[in-house]
Amino acid sequence: MIDWFRRADPAFYDKERFVLQAEAQVPRYSEEAQAESRLAVLREDRVFQVALAIVALALVLAAGFHAFAAAAAVAGLVAFLFEREARSRPQLATWTILAVVLLTFAYAFAFEPATLAARVPLELAAEALAYLGVCTVAGRIRRAELLARPEGLVSLPQSIVPLLDRSHHHAIICWRE
Amino acid sequence: MIATPDRYELNATSRVGLILAGAAFVLAACAGATNPSPRAVIVFALAFPLLWVAFATFISLRTIRGLKILNVDLPERTRALGGFRLRLTLAYDGSFFPAVGILANARFSTDEVEIAGGPWDEIPLLDGGRAAHAEWEVLAKQRGRLYVGPFRAAIELPGSALRATAVFDGVHTVTVLPATFQLEPFADALLSGRHVAEGRYHKTPVATEEYVGAREYRPGDSPKLIHRVLSLRSRDPNELYVREFQDPSRDDLCIVLDTAAPLDGDSSAHQYRLEKAICFVAALCRTFAARRLTVRFVCQRGSRDVLSLRVRPLDAELDRLEVALSQIGLGGDRKVIGRLLHAEVRRHGSAVIFVSLRSREAVEQQRLRVVTLTPDHVPIFTHEVVAR
């Protein structure tokens, strides 16, 4: 009887072996993939870029180029040291930019008090502009975080494929509407 | 169903970032304290970030406490590979500030695997006293039980030092019925020559028989069985109806499912064969039910646990069978299943179908008058497409 089945449908007869050997898997949305996706969103975000430029401009205006350059160098060092953390937790960028702003002001308070005292209204306006820029940057980073979150998620790989479905080896698949 | 959060989780948005910003703030404060000449500039520079972070953190903490689950919309049962829509309705009863950027997710698990945190769905804005939905599409491929929950709702405003998460511990169970194969039309061939065609030797009902319905009179029927009320109601005076009786304990055929691990292959191969056999049995029962046949389903669930279900061609009984099938594992013993098979053959004659997990028919089964279907036979009767 089995021989007759073999002759009748040889392709179907061999399916079980094929299914058991198939190791296709739906890739999980890795942290790395999400970080890349967030960066892509930020790269295309004009508002984010303009806000960053405004922060830099306001800091140069408020405390001078040297102060801004020194603070930016510190921020760059931090970003280099905590690159992995920044990829998984994008809010680190917000706090780093805030730290750059505060360090720039600290530099100006410590080394250029006379300059600050001479142009108080301009300094206040530049500080307000810088903080407005930081708030905007924080909002845009959060937006990128939300936009780049994974559409769906699959379960851990499952060694058993129920039925004849050969699409992948997962017990549960979930994605957001 | 209204559920309030069972607990709250508070996590720093970025520990390194907070330390960095805090250190910069302390440095700026020290620098401002040593040279306090442009006081307005220093106060503004220090007060703005402090107030911003404090306000964003306060709002995040305040709004998370106002969230509650109004409803979780999900089916009690679903079919493997069928999928369903999960809808979580969140309500916000705070009046101080609208909840902004709520993220919700759920944990999905079966007895073996789990998605600890499903994908986050966002509710952009939720005013006080209002409710909104978060929705997901869920597909369970494995029969059995799917647990949905606990649910989480998180709020993290830009500038907030903390990410506030409300955890709702309630877990909802969805029974995942086995997917059913779509059988080829020639699956009926399994019945040909196997069904015992018994003649009716007695003209009046015996004590064990029950009334099952009425039909038109055929020559040879006992006049004692004429249904007088129905016959009088008919327009044609020559049209007569007779009452029909049937023994309720008699089944048309029996399906025995093998649940003992075969000798060849590894555990994943055994499990795969069982999955396939279960889905095949479910499809077979539905096919026979469509032909108005009563099926007796027998299988061994555990060492002293034999399941015997009488499945009449009713949707409710087919559902009962599928719920039972969704919980069956490889808990059978070869000797016990052999004894079961012998008993069923004695009871049903040749109308027994044995869905085996072994790749070859055993010698002792070859002597029995049963149709044995090995895993190699199942694809012959089955479409590639799975019925949903």
Side-chain angles (χ1 to χ4, degrees):
Chain A
M1 191 65 172
I2 290 174
D3 288 340
W4 181 83
F5 285 142
R6 273 183 208 274
R7 285 199 300 276
D9 194 352
F12 220 133
Y13 181 80
D14 289 336
K15 271 174 189 168
E16 184 179 65
R17 187 168 49 82
F18 175 81
V19 171
L20 288 172
Q21 287 174 356
E23 290 179 355
Q25 288 183 13
V26 174
R28 292 193 72 160
Y29 296 84
S30 64
E31 293 284 335
E32 194 62 29
Q34 280 188 63
E36 285 301 324
S37 178
R38 272 194 293 269
L39 281 176
V41 171
L42 287 176
R43 265 187 229 114
E44 291 170 6
D45 190 350
R46 291 274 176 207
V47 178
F48 173 74
Q49 290 161 8
V50 169
L52 263 187
I54 285 173
V55 172
L57 198 69
L59 289 181
V60 171
L61 203 70
F65 182 74
H66 293 295
F68 172 66
V74 172
L77 184 68
V78 169
F80 177 74
L81 288 175
F82 296 100
E83 190 201 351
R84 189 170 290 278
E85 164 94 6
R87 279 180 166 273
S88 61
R89 287 177 177 262
Q91 288 302 319
L92 175 61
T94 304
W95 299 110
T96 307
I97 292 166
L98 184 64
V100 166
V101 173
L102 285 166
L103 283 175
T104 311
F105 291 152
Y107 183 95
F109 298 158
F111 302 112
E112 297 171 17
T115 318
L116 294 184
R119 44 175 199 177
V120 170
L122 184 69
E123 287 298 327
L124 282 173
E127 280 181 4
L129 204 61
Y131 281 133
L132 199 67
V134 173
C135 290
T136 310
V137 164
R140 301 312 282 188
I141 288 173
R142 181 73 180 136
R143 174 181 168 272
E145 204 178 351
L146 293 178
L147 284 179
R149 71 192 190 280
E151 288 281 336
L153 210 65
V154 295
S155 68
L156 297 170
Q158 187 198 19
S159 60
I160 303 149
V161 184
L163 316 177
L164 297 174
D165 181 71
R166 284 174 287 176
S167 54
H168 33 69
H169 286 202
H170 296 273
I172 314 163
I173 303 169
C174 174
W175 64 97
R176 67 186 161 90
E177 267 292 281
Chain B
M1 183 207 100
I2 297 174
T4 50
D6 293 288
R7 61 181 193 277
Y8 298 96
E9 288 175 0
L10 301 176
N11 303 99
T13 50
S14 167
R15 208 177 293 273
V16 176
L18 280 171
I19 292 170
L20 189 68
F25 182 83
V26 170
L27 208 64
C30 292
T34 50
N35 295 303
S37 56
R39 186 169 296 276
V41 175
I42 293 168
V43 168
F44 182 75
L46 295 175
F48 188 94
L50 209 60
L51 288 174
W52 174 42
V53 172
F55 182 71
T57 308
F58 174 72
I59 295 293
S60 296
L61 293 177
R62 179 82 188 230
T63 49
I64 202 72
R65 291 189 174 275
L67 288 179
K68 60 188 176 189
I69 288 180
L70 217 55
N71 188 31
V72 179
D73 188 12
L74 79 173
E76 279 183 20
R77 288 178 195 172
T78 184
R79 197 170 285 283
L81 295 169
F84 62 91
R85 177 170 291 191
L86 168 65
R87 176 185 275 193
L88 172 73
T89 308
L90 279 174
Y92 175 58
D93 59 6
S95 55
F96 172 69
F97 198 82
V100 181
I102 305 165
L103 290 173
N105 82 347
R107 177 177 178 271
F108 300 92
S109 58
T110 64
D111 293 327
E112 293 164 6
V113 295
E114 72 163 34
I115 295 178
W120 293 97
D121 196 17
E122 186 198 4
I123 298 170
L125 186 72
L126 189 56
D127 287 320
R130 296 288 180 93
H133 308 296
E135 288 186 331
W136 299 270
E137 287 287 337
V138 184
L139 189 147
K141 289 182 70 179
Q142 197 174 32
R143 72 186 166 83
R145 286 199 179 91
L146 174 70
Y147 304 103
V148 181
F151 289 92
R152 286 164 177 272
I155 293 180
E156 181 188 333
L157 286 177
S160 169
L162 297 170
R163 180 192 179 96
T165 309
V167 184
F168 303 86
D169 279 332
V171 176
H172 303 260
T173 307
V174 180
T175 304
V176 184
L177 304 174
T180 54
F181 284 136
Q182 207 169 30
L183 296 188
E184 297 285 0
F186 55 80
D188 288 351
L190 288 169
L191 293 173
S192 61
R194 305 284 173 180
H195 190 56
V196 180
E198 286 182 86
R200 188 179 175 86
Y201 300 110
H202 43 269
K203 292 188 175 177
T204 51
V206 294
T208 55
E209 288 185 333
E210 282 180 6
Y211 173 76
V212 289
R215 63 167 170 80
E216 212 169 331
Y217 177 84
R218 287 199 294 255
D221 284 337
S222 170
K224 288 181 181 176
L225 297 177
I226 288 175
H227 197 306
R228 291 178 188 176
V229 176
L230 268 186
S231 302
L232 286 171
R233 276 183 189 165
S234 65
R235 290 181 183 177
D236 186 355
N238 295 322
E239 195 174 318
L240 298 172
Y241 287 88
V242 288
R243 287 168 291 167
E244 271 201 318
F245 297 88
Q246 195 179 40
D247 183 354
S249 63
R250 184 184 169 279
D251 311 317
D252 293 318
L253 75 154
C254 175
I255 296 176
V256 181
L257 174 66
D258 186 6
T259 52
L263 300 172
D264 60 323
D266 58 1
S267 61
S268 65
H270 299 166
Q271 193 65 41
Y272 171 68
R273 285 181 186 181
L274 178 71
E275 295 296 331
K276 207 162 70 166
I278 283 173
C279 297
F280 182 63
V281 164
L284 211 54
C285 287
R286 287 211 171 262
T287 303
F288 292 148
R291 282 150 186 73
R292 313 299 300 164
L293 295 171
T294 299
V295 178
R296 183 174 147 83
F297 171 74
V298 179
C299 80
Q300 190 192 5
R301 288 190 292 200
S303 58
R304 290 186 179 181
D305 184 9
V306 173
L307 172 71
S308 175
L309 276 179
R310 190 163 179 274
V311 186
R312 285 177 297 175
L314 300 170
D315 283 344
E317 301 212 350
L318 287 167
D319 288 347
R320 196 158 58 94
L321 170 73
E322 287 183 344
V323 170
L325 284 174
S326 70
Q327 309 298 332
I328 288 172
L330 277 168
D333 177 64
R334 185 66 51 199
K335 286 180 182 172
V336 177
I337 290 172
R339 282 202 293 273
L340 282 176
L341 211 51
H342 272 96
E344 294 305 322
V345 169
R346 275 201 299 275
R347 182 185 164 114
H348 286 273
S350 56
V352 176
I353 297 172
F354 179 51
V355 181
S356 171
L357 302 184
R358 298 175 84 168
S359 50
R360 284 179 180 279
E361 201 175 358
V363 179
E364 61 270 21
Q365 285 159 24
Q366 288 175 0
R367 293 175 192 149
L368 295 174
R369 290 195 304 163
V370 295
V371 182
T372 302
L373 295 172
T374 65
D376 299 332
H377 294 133
V378 171
I380 303 295
F381 298 99
T382 312
H383 276 306
E384 171 73 8
V385 181
V386 172
R388 296 187 175 181

